[in-house]
Amino acid sequence: MEEPPGRRLLARGTSAALSLLLTAAGTAAALEPGGAAPAQERAASAVSPSAVSPSAVSPSAVSPFDVSPFDVEGRGADVPFVEHEAEDAATNGSPIGPDRVYGTLPSEASGRRAVTLDAVGEYVEFTLTEPANAMTFRYSIPDSAAGTGRDASMDLLVDGSVHQSVEVTSKYGWYYGGYPFNNNPGDTNPHHFYDETRTLFGETLAAGTTVGLRVSSTADSPTFTIDLADFELVAAPVARPEGAIDVVADFGADPTGAGNSTAAIQAAVDAGRAQGREVYLPEGTFNVTEHIVVDQVTLRGAGPWYSVLTGRDPVDRAKAVGVYGKWAADGGSRNVTLRDFAIIGDIRERVDEHQVNAIGGAMSDSVIDNIWMQHTKCGAWMDGPMDNLTIRDSRILDQTADGVNFHIGVTDSTVTNTFVRNTGDDALAMWAERVPNVGNSFTFNTVVLPILANNIVTYGGRDITIADNVVSDTVTNGGGLHVANRYPGVDSGQGTAVSGTIDVTRNTLIRAGNNDFNWQFGVGAIWFSGLNEPIDGATVQVTDSEVLDSSYAAIHVIEGAVNGLRFEDIRIEGAGTYALQIQAPGTASFENVVASGIAQDNPIHNCVGDGFRITQGTGNSGWYTDQPACTGLWPDPQWPGGG
């Protein structure tokens, strides 16, 4: 958190419908970030990867719990790419993981595994399963000694031949110390290791083509860790709509990025509002160093791969690219449409007071559609009061803080069919600070790898829906889904506490929850907190959902009291510690809740005794005992394959 100022099956893993069998193993030893076997121990070959026999570079074994967020049909975002994991690709590098121990490279990798390359000629090679003309890949290279990051490059190979060079950097990763973190490598707690970059191939490659990433030099970076690659077939640029204002042709914005286009784009947007005309961002990279303020206007690009807003003030680091509605105190904005462009910032630190988000302010009766948000502080931090905002069909990547936060009196608004990965805090959040959030929803989203806190959360709120999402790979200090009376300004006196009906339904959670480094015990995949005041009088219903391979407990109640929980039609398959972790009084009913693969012999940890009352309906199995554990000690989690 910070202060203010449909679906398609993809290419990896086993089916989430598979009946899973837990193979328990102790917590894996922590790996040093960037650690891998020395190159001389592997006798790495520098031959063309496509010339290597597939049998000589067989993919790593797939655990029955190795479920991808893209294996779940009917839920999550309908993304335009096919994802390939590096550990399942051909390689002569060193697979790392699985490991969920915070502070290690595998713990922040998708599926908790990746491949490290540390010698010239080492590679990871993917085989396309569908035609593609573009690629995004997730990687990590070490920080610099000064904490400012380093730049390097890799060869991109097509069928074994060099196709182009791709630039990589660690400028947007590697944070240290305590919240809100710093860029000092001499401090403790290194984390947020990975970044992503994208490239167009300039041609369409057929299914069956191999695409590789190969180390061409270790002079600029001693190691390159590859997590995954997303391949897609990007459509042609969207032409200028008839009658639209062109920010280049009509107002002189610079599509090369050399000049500052802030004033030109703002003038075009103001003219669009005054004339009732759409405003068009043609192909190009536009240097923008302050907010573009929008109200009653449509700002549309040629597509997020073609039209890019980027930039930051070279002196005042609190000023950076962003598209904002007017502040609520100034009346807010309304009837705004933002679509078909990218906002790729240059934020390399977290300063909560800085409004350096991709999208912000207040926007009522507005739509954000097909926007790529990357390297900003937050994707969309919306400060209300405001009403009826839709964020849809978008990508939010590599943020230093939240992905989306509906903050202060946001009502009847939604995030839907959006892909979120590698946020530095809650990925999708609602925070009803001082003014009620009412009637909001997060639906059909795929939310992966929040480096801190939760995949999806509502802090307070009335009549909230969290449905049809897929969440995976929580890293630390949070869970997959969280409902809470926590954080400032959330209380019943202001009408902002959890109330009405909180409908958490048809969600799939994969490897969710993890250790909280402050509490020094695990946070559940689905968890509830009454820290500010008890959750009481609301209907909080969790239904028709799967909780797969939880890192610690599957369901967790903590702080204050939590009453009125209802669990129905829940499948729990695999939990690193308990099925239920009860650390606060309350009440809950369970019907058709079936659990298997719980690591502890006693499936419930409860030291509040009769203070937490369970009402059982029919169809429950695998999770209940009338003599729960209360040992005073937290067991080490047990994870498939050790991680």
Side-chain angles (χ1 to χ4, degrees), residues 154-158 161-166 198-202:
M154 303 186 74
D155 287 337
L156 189 152
L157 311 178
V158 173
S161 297
V162 176
H163 187 271
Q164 63 197 78
S165 178
V166 288
R198 65 183 192 172
T199 186
L200 289 161
F201 298 145

Side-chain angles (χ1 to χ4, degrees), residues 336-349:
V336 171
T337 297
L338 308 177
R339 63 178 301 183
D340 300 334
F341 61 91
I343 303 171
I344 301 179
D346 187 30
I347 303 306
R348 309 180 191 187
E349 69 286 316

Side-chain angles (χ1 to χ4, degrees), residues 461-545:
R462 182 170 76 246
D463 296 334
I464 302 298
T465 298
I466 300 171
D468 299 292
N469 303 287
V470 178
V471 305
S472 74
D473 295 308
T474 321
V475 174
T476 193
N477 288 45
L481 300 176
H482 185 31
V483 177
N485 283 335
R486 299 178 80 210
Y487 284 98
V490 176
D491 59 75
S492 55
Q494 298 180 90
T496 57
V498 172
S499 61
T501 299
I502 310 298
D503 192 11
V504 182
T505 186
R506 297 183 307 278
N507 298 290
T508 297
L509 298 87
I510 304 166
R511 296 178 298 275
N514 217 307
N515 185 58
D516 186 296
F517 55 69
N518 295 315
W519 285 337
Q520 293 295 299
F521 55 75
V523 175
I526 305 175
W527 68 298
F528 307 87
S529 168
L531 176 64
N532 293 6
E533 64 179 64
I535 295 177
D536 201 5
T539 298
V540 182
Q541 52 193 25
V542 182
T543 62
D544 192 17
S545 296

Side-chain angles (χ1 to χ4, degrees), residues 385-624:
M386 51 176 277
D387 179 68
N388 190 30
L389 170 70
T390 295
I391 301 174
R392 68 188 182 207
D393 303 339
S394 294
R395 276 179 265 196
I396 303 173
L397 309 168
D398 308 319
Q399 303 293 316
T400 60
D402 297 32
V404 173
N405 198 308
F406 287 165
H407 180 228
I408 307 178
V410 177
T411 58
D412 296 319
S413 295
T414 188
V415 179
T416 189
N417 198 46
T418 289
F419 179 72
V420 187
R421 181 166 60 206
N422 200 40
T423 58
D425 212 318
D426 293 314
L428 295 179
M430 310 179 201
W431 178 13
E433 184 179 19
R434 303 189 309 275
V435 183
N437 282 351
V438 182
N440 299 320
S441 64
F442 294 150
T443 63
F444 291 105
N445 303 294
T446 298
V447 183
V448 179
L449 287 162
I451 306 305
L452 178 75
N454 305 281
N455 296 71
I456 298 179
V457 58
T458 180
Y459 298 109
R462 182 170 76 246
D463 296 334
I464 302 298
T465 298
I466 300 171
D468 299 292
N469 303 287
V470 178
V471 305
S472 74
D473 295 308
T474 321
V475 174
T476 193
N477 288 45
L481 300 176
H482 185 31
V483 177
N485 283 335
R486 299 178 80 210
Y487 284 98
V490 176
D491 59 75
S492 55
Q494 298 180 90
T496 57
V498 172
S499 61
T501 299
I502 310 298
D503 192 11
V504 182
T505 186
R506 297 183 307 278
N507 298 290
T508 297
L509 298 87
I510 304 166
R511 296 178 298 275
N514 217 307
N515 185 58
D516 186 296
F517 55 69
N518 295 315
W519 285 337
Q520 293 295 299
F521 55 75
V523 175
I526 305 175
W527 68 298
F528 307 87
S529 168
L531 176 64
N532 293 6
E533 64 179 64
I535 295 177
D536 201 5
T539 298
V540 182
Q541 52 193 25
V542 182
T543 62
D544 192 17
S545 296
E546 291 79 50
V547 188
L548 307 177
D549 191 13
S550 303
S551 295
Y552 285 79
I555 297 169
H556 184 192
V557 176
I558 191 172
E559 301 173 324
V562 179
N563 295 294
L565 300 179
R566 182 171 74 88
F567 298 93
E568 184 175 337
D569 297 327
I570 306 296
R571 180 165 59 92
I572 300 169
E573 296 199 18
T577 55
Y578 300 100
L580 274 64
Q581 181 173 318
I582 307 301
Q583 295 179 265
T587 61
S589 66
F590 294 79
E591 184 167 349
N592 197 28
V593 176
V594 177
S596 62
I598 308 303
Q600 293 298 303
D601 291 337
N602 191 323
I604 300 178
H605 185 282
N606 177 7
C607 289
V608 303
D610 292 339
F612 192 88
R613 299 192 306 277
I614 292 174
T615 300
Q616 288 210 67
T618 60
N620 297 317
S621 67
W623 60 268
Y624 182 75

Side-chain angles (χ1 to χ4, degrees), residues 188-214:
T188 59
N189 187 32
H191 64 283
H192 210 140
F193 306 122
Y194 290 85
D195 194 17
E196 302 179 31
T197 192
R198 65 183 192 172
T199 186
L200 289 161
F201 298 145
E203 60 179 315
T204 297
L205 305 179
T209 302
T210 62
V211 178
L213 294 167
R214 187 175 68 186

Side-chain angles (χ1 to χ4, degrees), residues 221-314:
S221 179
T223 64
F224 302 78
T225 296
I226 309 300
D227 181 20
L228 56 82
D230 295 332
F231 295 96
E232 63 183 286
L233 191 61
V234 177
V238 177
R240 176 181 180 175
E242 185 176 353
I245 293 171
D246 187 313
V247 302
V248 174
D250 297 326
F251 281 85
D254 181 0
T256 72
N260 191 325
S261 293
T262 308
I265 296 175
Q266 186 65 66
V269 164
D270 293 344
R273 176 188 177 185
Q275 299 172 27
R277 297 166 64 191
E278 189 168 316
V279 178
Y280 178 64
L281 290 166
E283 292 183 67
T285 297
F286 299 90
N287 181 25
V288 174
T289 56
E290 296 186 52
H291 297 166
I292 302 298
V293 179
V294 291
D295 182 27
Q296 301 181 64
V297 69
T298 292
L299 180 61
R300 176 176 182 171
W305 283 85
Y306 303 109
S307 302
V308 179
L309 301 181
T310 189
R312 190 173 190 180
D313 190 286

